[in-house]
Amino acid sequence: MNTAMSKEELEQILDQAVQDVTECTAGVRLHQGHHSPEGDLCTVQITFDQGFRTSLTLCADTRLLSRMASNSFQEESISPEDLEEFSKEYFNVLCGRIAKAMFQATQVPAHFGPPAFYRGRYEPEGREIQFMLTYSDEYCGGAQLIHHVPCSGEDGAISDKK
């Protein structure tokens, strides 16, 4: 559990960032939903390596990410390379927005490594899900933003690293 802020406060920060960044960068409005994405999926993942010992994973329908990339690049056809490039850049912007909001709330500076892209659903090793936010768009495309914390009952998500 995050010791610097409540789970509800963190969920609010993540939700606001997802909705704002998705609409601004890709022109897609996401709404919280209840159905997990299934079928052809892509996952983008980052780990906070300074400030917070957490990681974030975005697992989404490939069709949804392709539409977002198409909107962002203003192109009809998106190659697999374009999809990966867009997904990593989108997630980098999203996580930057989250890190900024978390700093404003906690005064703990955070740093994360570059996003990693995977085809299919990816679960980071040594992590367990603290919570997930599930989204859908007007075409029933789905996505989940998953907040992971270290396994083995380690309490707290703030690191002493500077």
Side-chain angles (χ1 to χ4, degrees):
M1 177 93 167
N2 190 316
T3 57
M5 68 177 63
S6 73
K7 179 178 164 248
E8 292 75 22
E9 290 171 315
L10 183 56
E11 285 179 355
Q12 177 63 33
I13 286 172
L14 297 180
D15 178 52
Q16 191 66 53
V18 166
Q19 293 193 40
D20 291 349
V21 170
T22 304
E23 189 165 358
C24 288
T25 62
V28 173
R29 292 187 135 207
L30 295 178
H31 306 282
Q32 282 204 25
H34 302 290
H35 300 289
S36 298
E38 296 178 350
D40 186 16
L41 303 174
C42 294
T43 303
V44 201
Q45 190 267 336
I46 62 99
T47 298
F48 285 95
D49 54 14
Q50 182 179 347
F52 298 93
R53 292 179 306 204
T54 62
S55 61
L56 290 172
T57 303
L58 179 74
C59 183
D61 293 329
T62 301
R63 188 182 69 212
L64 172 61
L65 287 173
S66 292
R67 188 163 69 85
M68 290 169 58
S70 179
N71 289 351
S72 180
F73 294 155
Q74 299 179 348
E75 294 181 13
E76 290 290 319
S77 180
I78 299 298
S79 71
E81 294 80 18
D82 289 341
L83 178 66
E84 180 175 344
E85 179 185 330
F86 168 80
S87 298
K88 292 191 307 190
E89 185 58 30
Y90 161 79
F91 203 54
N92 193 52
V93 170
L94 175 62
C95 291
R97 174 81 175 267
I98 290 167
K100 177 182 175 185
M102 290 171 62
F103 176 76
Q104 289 172 338
T106 66
Q107 299 304 299
V108 175
H111 178 267
F112 54 90
F117 179 84
Y118 304 92
R119 293 283 177 178
R121 186 177 290 274
Y122 171 79
E123 297 281 335
E125 290 185 29
R127 305 277 171 166
E128 61 189 15
I129 296 172
Q130 182 185 32
F131 63 85
M132 67 180 77
L133 302 173
T134 303
Y135 297 92
S136 62
D137 70 353
E138 64 269 24
Y139 300 105
C140 298
Q144 285 182 318
L145 183 66
I146 305 164
H147 183 254
H148 292 94
V149 294
C151 287
S152 74
E154 288 184 36
D155 191 27
I158 295 180
S159 168
D160 293 329
K161 290 183 190 176
K162 297 284 181 202

